[in-house]
Amino acid sequence: MYVCHCNVVTDRDIIEAIANGARCVADVARETGAGRTCGNCISSLRDLVCQHCPVRAERRTEQHAAEREVGVAGAAR
């Protein structure tokens, strides 16, 4: 699927950039060119980074565990 139409970047290109070490939207933008022209794809880039970046996934898991320990309600997240 095309994520960035301006620079013809697909979701596979973004996932490959993450596999090659990109850890944030800025890293992916530098490596692929996505999000550097009009910016309409930034939310899609962010979603893909959050879904596929192992570092971010670990942080989310740790954050949810910490929230459970202090009893943060799901609605408050």
Side-chain angles (χ1 to χ4, degrees), residues 46-66:
R46 187 178 301 115
D47 291 345
L48 285 165
V49 169
C50 287
Q51 289 172 13
H52 296 281
C53 181
V55 173
R56 299 239 183 244
E58 288 172 14
R59 286 183 188 158
R60 278 197 317 268
T61 302
E62 291 169 4
Q63 179 182 6
H64 290 303

Side-chain angles (χ1 to χ4, degrees), residues 11-72:
D11 56 342
R12 289 182 183 179
D13 296 327
I14 293 166
I15 293 167
E16 182 178 336
I18 294 167
N20 290 334
R23 294 294 176 250
C24 64
V25 172
D27 291 346
V28 172
R30 273 191 296 276
E31 188 167 330
T32 65
R36 302 193 75 164
T37 304
C38 76
N40 284 334
C41 61
I42 295 297
S43 64
S44 297
L45 286 174
R46 187 178 301 115
D47 291 345
L48 285 165
V49 169
C50 287
Q51 289 172 13
H52 296 281
C53 181
V55 173
R56 299 239 183 244
E58 288 172 14
R59 286 183 188 158
R60 278 197 317 268
T61 302
E62 291 169 4
Q63 179 182 6
H64 290 303
E67 289 172 351
R68 280 192 301 273
E69 285 178 17
V70 296
V72 174

